[in-house]
Amino acid sequence: MYSVFCDVPDKSVETQHGHIVVAFVNGERLVKRLYCRNGKVALVAENPKYPPLVVKEGVELTVWGVVVGKFKRMA
């Protein structure tokens, strides 16, 4: 038996700076903290080993929802 952690996104919550979001960047699904300041948009990992992903022109970003919870499922 093993555990699977699942994020619970809510598409009805308006995204804001600092929210943890489920996003698609060029088709790849990511769960990161949203940074929106001074016209700059980035997705920032909670793990400092990973650099921020700055969203530049030409990058396709779709924010699917704001993470509002997490649950653990035993499989």
Side-chain angles (χ1 to χ4, degrees):
M1 187 181 298
Y2 58 94
S3 301
V4 177
F5 291 93
C6 299
D7 294 313
V8 180
D10 187 341
K11 293 174 84 172
S12 70
V13 176
E14 184 178 337
T15 57
Q16 296 179 12
H17 171 77
H19 279 164
I20 297 175
V21 298
V22 175
F24 289 86
V25 177
N26 295 330
E28 180 182 355
R29 184 183 58 85
L30 302 170
V31 178
K32 306 268 186 188
R33 189 170 298 277
L34 183 65
Y35 176 94
C36 298
R37 287 287 189 252
N38 303 321
K40 180 179 174 183
V41 176
L43 296 170
V44 181
E46 294 297 306
N47 185 335
K49 292 182 181 180
Y50 295 98
L53 175 63
V54 178
V55 179
K56 298 179 181 179
E57 190 174 329
V59 173
E60 184 182 332
L61 170 66
T62 303
V63 176
W64 196 79
V66 174
V67 175
V68 295
K70 180 178 258 191
F71 68 91
K72 179 178 172 181
R73 188 176 109 198
M74 302 303 285

